[in-house]
Amino acid sequence: MNLNRKIKNQANLITTTLIIVGILAVVNFLSYQIFYRFDLTEGKDYSISSTTKNSLKSLDDVVSIKLYFSKELPSEYMNLKQDIKDILDEYKSYSGGKIKIEEINPGDSEEEQQKIQMLGIPKLRFNVVENDKYQTLGGYLGMVIYFEDKKEVIPVVSSSKNLEYEITMAIKKLTLDKIPVIGFTVGNGEVSLNDELTIIGKELKKQYGITAVDLSDGNLISDNIDTLIILGPTAEINERSKYVIDQFLMRSGSLLIAQDSVVVDQQMAVSQNRTGLNDILNFYGLKINDNLILDGASNEIVSFSTGGFFPSLVNYPFWPKILKENFDKSNPATANLETAFFPWASSVDVLPEKIGDNKILELVKTTDESWAVSENINLDPFQKFAPQPMGQQTLATSIFGKFESFYKDKDIPKKENEESDSDGKEEFVSSVDSARITVIGDADFVKDNFLSRNMNNLIFFQNVIDSLTLDPDLINIRSKGVTSRPIEEVSEAKKMSIKYFNIFGVTVLVIVLGIIKYNLRKRRRFVEEDEE
């Protein structure tokens, strides 16, 4: 009886194996006949977005993309080359014939290489070890996109991670009638674009025109500017400058204000920062509070000197780290962000009595284990922090909708040394039906030294500017590249449970499985003995 059962089992096994092999053979054959890409990544990182597809459908003329990739590249770049070709193939497929792609191997011709370098694509040097020899190879990883007589250059394509955003943005720039312009105010102690904001300046110049706006001359801001950014002013802003800002908003301009209400200097000394911007912000329905926010549950680990040879790493509540769930999920600017941090930030309040029917978006919040300090602020990282009443704090807020001028029914401030009303040339605008304001209670987070710690701050800032300036759908493409996943904060009890499970859990599990298997064998033996 046992022999028959064994023969039967072997026959079933062979039949099952043949069926599986047959199915695999059929699937393999069909896969060569039907092409379809299954993108299983959470953010669909290897598929172009609906925003790109819509942009391609709206093209009214041919866009040419020339890919300059050297044939002889280190092996790690060959996969990149294939990823780029796959992405470009999708562009071509969804463009209805409006995207033409040409792949060019620069080769060794000096004439060809000079021509490529004239386009703005540099020759790169790669260090490789081959056949036990250390070698240096030269090559190109660039791309040029042409539309009519215009072109956009992507000098180095070192990753496919954010390539869709760069290509789609380049196509939009080429096909737009006007490139959006961003104005950074100067003259009131603002953070310098050429000094402490070189990273953000370089990134913004890829898609916007950038210009400085001097508020001190009292002239109204040009209608050519789409978004005005007031970043980290430290001097008191006079009444005429406030009027200029107000009138920019009334002419449907978008306004971004990032301000430190409490300034921390190099010696870790604090001082209040009175700029007067709260006068107009309060009228629009927002307020930057005179405080600093601490987050006891989610904050950055910061290195501080203790006077010895080695610095100490400590969790610093004065640098709140924003968790994924505390970004506004209804806003494209923040919906896909994973984290960001805001050093020495102040809270931003909404004044409900001033808002009316306008739409409010609280973009960034701390955890509910946060508190504010506004007096006798002690920044010592080694102190024993004594939390005040705790709760979530808002660090950035946007308002969209209708606004009235702060200067309606008031005397219009005149320029310095001006007696008449700007020679009667200025037209006062008393209200606007649709405008956008975003206020952030911190100006440090986009400075170069802080961006080097966490580039997610850059993504947040770019997304906010995009949401104020242009098509918010583009934000979704850029946010696909966000991959930072901070470790989830857990309670001490949960930490200990996980720790002891790792130490003893696997051993206990193996013992239990062994006992179960032993009992099953014992039972089977008894059954076989009974059958005999």
Side-chain angles (χ1 to χ4, degrees):
M1 185 174 286
N2 283 339
L3 182 61
N4 290 337
R5 182 181 296 166
K6 285 182 180 176
I7 294 172
K8 187 177 179 182
N9 288 341
Q10 286 179 350
N12 288 338
L13 180 63
I14 292 170
T15 305
T16 306
T17 304
L18 290 174
I19 291 172
I20 292 172
V21 170
I23 292 172
L24 290 175
V26 172
V27 170
N28 191 44
F29 174 77
L30 292 176
S31 67
Y32 278 101
Q33 313 303 317
I34 305 171
F35 173 77
Y36 188 80
R37 173 181 290 181
F38 294 94
D39 188 348
L40 302 180
T41 57
E42 181 184 355
K44 300 298 175 192
D45 294 343
Y46 297 97
S47 306
I48 63 173
S49 66
S50 58
T51 303
T52 294
K53 292 173 186 173
N54 292 333
S55 298
L56 296 174
K57 288 175 184 172
S58 65
L59 290 175
D60 55 9
D61 206 345
V62 173
V63 173
S64 298
I65 300 178
K66 291 188 177 181
L67 182 63
Y68 294 92
F69 253 59
S70 297
K71 191 175 180 180
E72 301 297 330
L73 288 173
S75 56
E76 61 264 33
Y77 289 95
M78 300 313 292
N79 289 336
L80 171 64
K81 186 177 181 181
Q82 186 59 51
D83 288 345
I84 294 170
K85 288 174 71 175
D86 288 346
I87 291 173
L88 292 178
D89 283 344
E90 289 216 12
Y91 272 78
K92 188 177 179 181
S93 299
Y94 287 102
S95 69
K98 296 292 175 55
I99 294 285
K100 304 292 184 187
I101 297 169
E102 184 179 358
E103 187 180 343
I104 299 170
N105 173 24
D108 297 325
S109 163
E110 278 195 23
E111 184 181 349
E112 185 69 23
Q113 293 191 14
Q114 283 181 356
K115 183 180 172 185
I116 294 169
Q117 290 175 27
M118 288 290 287
L119 289 170
I121 298 176
K123 187 172 187 178
L124 305 176
R125 296 288 174 188
F126 306 98
N127 297 323
V128 296
V129 177
E130 196 170 270
N131 297 327
D132 299 327
K133 291 182 180 176
Y134 184 82
Q135 302 178 55
T136 301
L137 294 178
Y140 298 88
L141 301 170
M143 185 184 296
V144 184
I145 302 168
Y146 295 91
F147 180 74
E148 296 177 344
D149 58 345
K150 299 176 284 186
K151 71 174 186 293
E152 281 290 321
V153 180
I154 303 177
V156 180
V157 185
S158 57
S159 165
S160 61
K161 194 173 176 181
N162 215 23
L163 184 60
E164 183 192 349
Y165 178 84
E166 292 188 70
I167 296 175
T168 302
M169 194 65 228
I171 293 173
K172 275 190 170 285
K173 281 180 73 175
L174 290 171
T175 53
L176 281 174
D177 294 331
K178 169 186 173 292
I179 296 175
V181 178
I182 293 172
F184 280 81
T185 62
V186 297
N188 293 287
E190 292 90 341
V191 183
S192 170
L193 197 60
N194 298 320
D195 186 13
E196 297 174 279
L197 300 175
T198 57
I199 297 175
I200 194 72
K202 181 181 175 184
E203 292 299 319
L204 291 177
K205 283 175 184 173
K206 292 179 181 176
Q207 60 189 98
Y208 297 111
I210 306 291
T211 187
V213 177
D214 190 351
L215 296 175
S216 62
D217 61 16
N219 293 325
L220 293 184
I221 297 170
S222 166
D223 292 338
N224 189 47
I225 294 175
D226 299 278
T227 297
L228 183 68
I229 299 176
I230 305 173
L231 188 61
T234 53
E236 184 167 354
I237 297 174
N238 63 37
E239 209 60 33
R240 176 66 191 183
S241 296
K242 293 179 198 172
Y243 174 75
V244 170
I245 297 168
D246 174 88
Q247 287 300 290
F248 175 77
L249 185 70
M250 294 303 117
R251 287 170 165 79
S252 299
S254 295
L255 185 60
L256 169 59
I257 297 176
Q259 176 182 289
D260 297 309
S261 284
V262 177
V263 175
V264 179
D265 65 19
Q266 296 287 337
Q267 286 71 43
M268 298 281 282
V270 299
S271 60
Q272 294 291 333
N273 185 28
R274 312 286 188 193
T275 65
L277 278 175
N278 259 339
D279 294 343
I280 55 174
L281 283 178
N282 292 356
F283 186 78
Y284 303 143
L286 292 170
K287 177 186 179 185
I288 305 176
N289 293 306
D290 296 330
N291 59 22
L292 287 182
I293 299 301
L294 297 88
D295 193 326
S298 179
N299 46 58
E300 280 284 291
I301 297 175
V302 186
S303 172
F304 286 99
S305 171
T306 57
F309 288 106
F310 302 104
S312 293
L313 295 174
V314 295
N315 283 90
Y316 193 47
F318 279 104
W319 289 16
K321 181 193 286 183
I322 309 304
L323 300 177
K324 181 179 180 179
E325 59 268 25
N326 292 330
F327 288 104
D328 182 2
K329 299 301 177 190
S330 67
N331 189 326
T334 51
N336 296 318
L337 296 181
E338 302 282 351
T339 186
F341 81 101
F342 295 85
W344 300 303
S346 301
S347 59
V348 177
D349 283 349
V350 173
L351 307 177
E353 68 276 12
K354 302 289 182 62
I355 293 300
D357 296 329
N358 285 351
K359 185 176 182 180
I360 305 165
L361 299 172
E362 293 181 317
L363 303 178
V364 174
K365 288 183 177 181
T366 60
T367 71
D368 55 8
E369 294 184 37
S370 301
W371 67 99
V373 291
S374 55
E375 295 179 350
N376 301 320
I377 298 174
N378 177 12
L379 299 179
D380 182 2
F382 303 106
Q383 65 178 292
K384 186 175 181 181
F385 289 97
Q388 308 298 313
M390 295 192 292
Q392 274 194 314
Q393 307 283 340
T394 301
L395 302 184
T397 300
S398 286
I399 297 184
F400 300 77
K402 184 176 181 179
F403 296 91
E404 282 199 343
S405 170
F406 176 68
Y407 292 93
K408 186 178 180 181
D409 302 325
K410 295 179 182 174
D411 293 335
I412 295 176
K414 295 181 174 57
K415 296 180 188 176
E416 194 174 353
N417 301 324
E418 180 186 50
E419 294 184 0
S420 65
D421 180 12
S422 298
D423 302 327
K425 295 178 181 176
E426 289 182 1
E427 180 187 356
F428 173 70
V429 182
S430 61
S431 67
V432 60
D433 288 334
S434 179
R436 296 179 278 191
I437 305 174
T438 295
V439 173
I440 305 171
D442 182 33
D444 296 316
F445 74 103
V446 284
K447 291 180 179 175
D448 291 347
N449 53 335
F450 291 106
L451 285 184
S452 62
R453 291 180 58 94
N454 189 337
M455 291 301 283
N456 288 283
N457 286 9
L458 173 65
I459 302 293
F460 168 73
F461 192 66
Q462 287 179 287
N463 284 358
V464 169
I465 292 174
D466 288 353
S467 69
L468 292 170
T469 311
L470 42 80
D471 186 355
D473 289 342
L474 281 171
I475 297 167
N476 292 324
I477 309 177
R478 180 194 287 129
S479 298
K480 284 170 65 175
V482 178
T483 56
S484 175
R485 301 288 168 88
I487 298 173
E488 181 186 355
E489 295 291 333
V490 296
S491 65
E492 283 300 319
K494 192 172 181 180
K495 285 180 187 174
M496 296 306 291
S497 301
I498 295 172
K499 175 182 174 183
Y500 286 115
F501 177 78
N502 285 333
I503 295 173
F504 303 111
V506 175
T507 305
V508 171
L509 196 60
V510 169
I511 292 172
V512 171
L513 289 174
I515 293 172
I516 293 172
K517 192 170 182 180
Y518 172 77
N519 286 327
L520 289 174
R521 282 184 175 178
K522 194 174 176 182
R523 183 180 298 176
R524 193 183 307 127
R525 191 163 58 246
F526 285 150
V527 171
E528 289 174 355
E529 287 175 358
D530 289 344
E531 289 176 350
E532 290 173 356

